[in-house]
Amino acid sequence: MEPPAAAAAAPSSAADLDLRNISFLLSNILLPPDGVTVPGVLEFLKWREGGEFLRRIGGIWGEVRPWAVAPALRVAVAVCLAMSVMLLVEVVSMAAVSLAVKLLRRSPERRYRCEPIAAGDDPEAASLAFPMVLVQIPMYNEREVYKLSIGSACALSWPSDRIIIQVLDDSTDPTVKDMVEVECRLWANKGININYEVRENRRGYKAGALKEGMEHSYVQQCDFVAIFDSDFQPEPDFLMRTVPFMVHNSKIALVQARWQFVNFRDCLMTRIQKMTLDYHFKVEQEAGSSTFAFFGFNGTAGVWRISAINEVGGWKDRTTVEDMDLAVRASLKGWKLLYVGDLEVKSELPSTLKAYRHQQHRWTCGAAHLFRKIIVEISTAKEVSFWKKCYLIYSFFFVRKIVAHVVTFFLYCIVIPTSVLVPEVIIPTWGVVYIPTTITLLNAIRNPSSIHLMPFWILFENVMSMHRMKATVIGLFEAGSVNEWVVTEKLGDTLLEKTKIPILEKPSSRLRERIYLPEIGFAVFLFLCACYNLAYGKNSFYVYIYLQAVAFLVVGLGYVGCFISNT
């Protein structure tokens, strides 16, 4: 056989191959569909360097693909489509309930009695009509925001002799501890009943701090406890709008307010977070509160009935979602949880990718871990109905905390890209287009002002699904980092005092802290799949896969979030 023209010059190494032949070679390894030929590449290799090895690889792939790879991929497609339908039904049902509540004007004020507390005409006895309220502020090395939360708590409108502020400081930085203690003394000198509490260790993290805070003698006189994380700033009328619900309705254990974000305009990542959390509050929390009087406590911006906390066993540190744990146990004892959507509390979103990843790991892993630990307790509970048990196990935990993360990663990041390499497997259009489009539109309806960001939201959420999927598996199987607790970094007024550069996160001097290799590796995989689909595929999946590859690469290189300049 005569050598191909490309080899006429007899190159001294494979590096002399032109780019076209290299791309053909890579494609041939994956064996393109029947009828597609690769001109001259294998003949060239056989003539020059014994390319029979690559031909054999292609042959093996062609033999194995139909009877081994294709059946396994068909099973994966079927499972993912089934989970997609489950998720779609859940999203549609929640959206319907949320819409019905809005159209029928079934606000909390219409469902529950909430008249203002009658103080009477006697000024001396007026404050006695108000119950004693404890305000807990757990914090850990919160240099940037400690003044915000303490100042807001001390400014709450409530009789001064009927409120106790408790700052639970787990800080390990001596300078920060001194600063927080000084701030508490300043407010105490102004006549505020504020207590600065520290403990010898951080056992149990936030749950441990809240539990020990409840053990102080002065807490025994309190009826309710309001909890605010260190970056939360409640309005002065917060207690006036929440406590009456509990005073007039003895079965309500919790009143939860909605989060408002002061820094969502900082960068694209914070805008995407706002879209996700707005949906969580406007749809998930509203639907749960309106149907089964249950939802997951968000850990802050809420008021608990202390007797309910004590009845269900208090705070437990068995998972990293102690707030959800307490809410589930209270619901199993017959207590009702109320979400008040028109009551907002200012808070801060994570502005750096590192902080956001830690937060998402804690939330996702903790929920899956709690599901593993509490499913038997839910199944055997006697104080709740069968339908509420089904709601807790199937809808709240299985679909939202497990299926949602699994199907997002496997279907959209693995199964669809892999299917372009296996032409024997065809994914139906309704599973690839109609279901995700419907879910996206239902999310967009509750975020009309951010509808133009939906493409970025989709791509970023798919990238984060790999991180959440890993956290879900760790939680379900109690793997190594199941109890990892990294406090979310808050910047407070740092963004105002220093130069802020959106989009790019501050590059680290250490390569392993700046680069996320799993995301980069996945970007390469998606890029190869997209190239193969563009060259040989019979569909247009490459459009989506290329975009998703770019999203993985951008996140993998750390170009997400905010960079705070020190200059």
Side-chain angles (χ1 to χ4, degrees):
M1 177 183 296
E2 289 295 321
S12 59
S13 69
D16 296 321
L17 289 173
D18 60 48
L19 295 176
R20 179 179 300 178
N21 282 344
I22 292 176
S23 65
F24 279 145
L25 173 61
L26 292 175
S27 300
N28 197 65
I29 293 175
L30 299 176
L31 194 61
D34 295 338
V36 179
T37 60
V38 183
V41 175
L42 291 181
E43 289 80 3
F44 171 80
L45 288 174
K46 184 175 181 180
W47 178 77
R48 283 290 294 131
E49 300 178 311
E52 188 64 26
F53 175 71
L54 294 179
R55 181 188 291 274
R56 290 180 180 178
I57 291 179
I60 292 174
W61 171 250
E63 293 292 332
V64 171
R65 189 180 66 196
W67 63 267
V69 179
L73 187 58
R74 288 193 186 98
V75 173
V77 169
V79 173
C80 287
L81 291 179
M83 290 191 293
S84 294
V85 172
M86 295 166 61
L87 183 60
L88 175 64
V89 172
E90 180 68 16
V91 170
V92 170
S93 62
M94 288 190 300
V97 171
S98 177
L99 181 61
V101 170
K102 186 174 183 179
L103 293 177
L104 298 176
R105 297 181 179 180
R106 294 286 295 166
S107 63
E109 291 79 7
R110 287 176 174 265
R111 302 199 309 269
Y112 296 97
R113 183 184 172 192
C114 61
E115 294 87 355
I117 298 174
D121 298 329
D122 185 0
E124 296 183 359
S127 65
L128 297 179
F130 291 81
M132 283 291 297
V133 175
L134 173 71
V135 178
Q136 289 185 315
I137 308 175
M139 58 178 59
Y140 173 74
N141 292 338
E142 310 288 0
R143 179 190 297 267
E144 305 293 346
V145 295
Y146 72 94
K147 287 186 178 181
L148 299 177
S149 56
I150 294 176
S152 298
C154 293
L156 289 170
S157 297
W158 204 256
S160 59
D161 60 334
R162 308 298 291 174
I163 185 172
I164 302 175
I165 311 296
Q166 186 184 67
V167 177
L168 305 170
D169 189 8
D170 271 359
S171 299
T172 54
D173 185 334
T175 302
V176 176
K177 293 183 71 172
D178 291 341
M179 294 166 63
V180 175
E181 185 175 8
V182 169
E183 183 70 12
C184 292
R185 288 178 180 175
L186 291 176
W187 283 103
N189 293 335
K190 297 178 182 180
I192 301 297
N193 188 356
I194 184 170
N195 294 270
Y196 175 74
E197 306 290 357
V198 296
R199 52 186 186 144
E200 296 180 356
N201 55 67
R202 293 187 64 213
R203 185 182 299 113
Y205 303 110
K206 182 179 177 180
L210 294 172
K211 183 178 181 180
E212 288 197 22
M214 298 291 290
E215 295 174 354
H216 292 280
S217 58
Y218 56 81
V219 176
Q220 305 305 315
Q221 58 185 312
C222 297
D223 304 295
F224 307 106
V225 53
I227 302 172
F228 300 104
D229 283 350
S230 57
D231 59 311
F232 278 71
Q233 307 169 54
E235 295 296 328
D237 64 346
F238 178 86
L239 294 179
M240 291 293 185
R241 297 184 60 184
T242 54
V243 174
F245 282 107
M246 312 185 83
V247 170
H248 299 301
N249 303 273
S250 60
K251 291 303 295 180
I252 292 182
L254 165 70
V255 177
Q256 171 75 60
R258 177 183 161 192
W259 297 359
Q260 181 186 29
F261 311 106
V262 298
N263 66 327
F264 74 91
R265 292 186 179 89
D266 285 349
C267 61
L268 180 59
M269 189 184 77
T270 52
R271 291 178 181 270
I272 291 175
Q273 289 181 67
K274 180 181 184 298
M275 295 167 61
T276 301
L277 289 171
D278 277 352
Y279 175 83
H280 166 70
F281 282 105
K282 293 179 180 179
V283 178
E284 294 179 344
Q285 300 295 72
E286 185 68 71
S289 176
S290 302
T291 52
F292 291 98
F294 168 79
F295 52 86
F297 174 44
N298 295 114
T300 178
V303 182
W304 275 93
R305 189 183 300 272
I306 293 180
S307 60
I309 296 178
N310 295 334
E311 180 183 343
V312 300
W315 294 99
K316 292 187 178 181
D317 58 2
R318 55 182 175 176
T319 69
T320 57
V321 287
E322 72 294 324
D323 42 16
M324 185 184 298
D325 189 348
L326 180 61
V328 173
R329 286 184 284 118
S331 184
L332 294 180
K333 288 293 184 179
W335 289 98
K336 295 181 179 181
L337 313 183
L338 178 63
Y339 167 70
V340 182
D342 61 352
L343 176 59
E344 299 179 344
V345 179
K346 296 177 182 178
S347 63
E348 181 182 321
L349 291 165
S351 296
T352 64
L353 179 60
K354 181 179 180 181
Y356 184 60
R357 284 168 61 92
H358 283 309
Q359 182 197 69
Q360 292 301 300
H361 175 87
R362 187 174 74 247
W363 289 0
T364 307
C365 178
H369 192 203
L370 178 61
F371 180 49
R372 171 192 174 104
K373 287 183 171 294
I374 208 167
I375 184 171
V376 175
E377 190 175 341
I378 296 175
S379 303
T380 58
K382 298 180 180 180
E383 288 84 354
V384 295
S385 66
F386 170 78
W387 295 112
K388 189 168 185 176
K389 292 179 183 179
C390 292
Y391 173 77
L392 286 170
I393 294 176
Y394 176 77
S395 296
F396 182 77
F397 275 112
F398 183 64
V399 176
R400 298 186 210 170
K401 312 302 181 186
I402 308 297
V403 169
H405 304 311
V406 172
V407 71
T408 302
F409 177 63
F410 274 105
L411 178 58
Y412 303 116
C413 300
I414 293 183
V415 173
I416 292 178
T418 304
S419 69
V420 305
L421 307 178
V422 186
E424 293 86 354
V425 176
I426 299 177
I427 306 177
T429 304
W430 59 266
V432 179
V433 179
Y434 299 152
I435 288 182
T437 300
T438 303
I439 294 175
T440 301
L441 290 177
L442 290 175
N443 188 293
I445 290 174
R446 300 313 301 265
N447 292 279
S449 62
S450 302
I451 194 169
H452 61 290
L453 298 176
M454 292 308 296
F456 299 101
W457 176 79
I458 294 171
L459 295 174
F460 183 70
E461 286 296 297
N462 286 349
V463 174
M464 289 302 301
S465 69
M466 182 171 71
H467 188 64
R468 295 187 182 113
M469 174 64 197
K470 176 184 175 182
T472 300
V473 173
I474 290 174
L476 284 176
F477 295 96
E478 293 188 324
S481 59
V482 65
N483 289 316
E484 179 184 65
W485 182 288
V486 179
V487 176
T488 304
E489 179 187 16
K490 290 99 175 178
L491 300 179
D493 294 332
T494 301
L495 294 178
L496 301 177
E497 297 171 355
K498 299 182 180 180
T499 304
K500 176 185 65 177
I501 303 177
I503 304 301
L504 301 184
E505 185 174 329
K506 182 178 180 179
S508 170
S509 59
R510 303 178 65 179
L511 182 63
R512 65 184 180 88
E513 293 181 0
R514 186 175 76 245
I515 301 298
Y516 298 97
L517 293 179
E519 280 81 356
I520 295 178
F522 221 83
V524 173
F525 162 72
L526 293 174
F527 181 77
L528 294 177
C529 291
C531 290
Y532 187 87
N533 184 240
L534 178 61
Y536 307 113
K538 298 180 180 180
N539 53 47
S540 300
F541 286 175
Y542 64 86
V543 176
Y544 158 73
I545 300 175
Y546 270 131
L547 292 173
Q548 196 61 69
V550 172
F552 267 95
L553 182 62
V554 170
V555 174
L557 294 176
Y559 290 113
V560 178
C562 288
F563 159 41
I564 310 303
S565 174
N566 291 322
T567 60

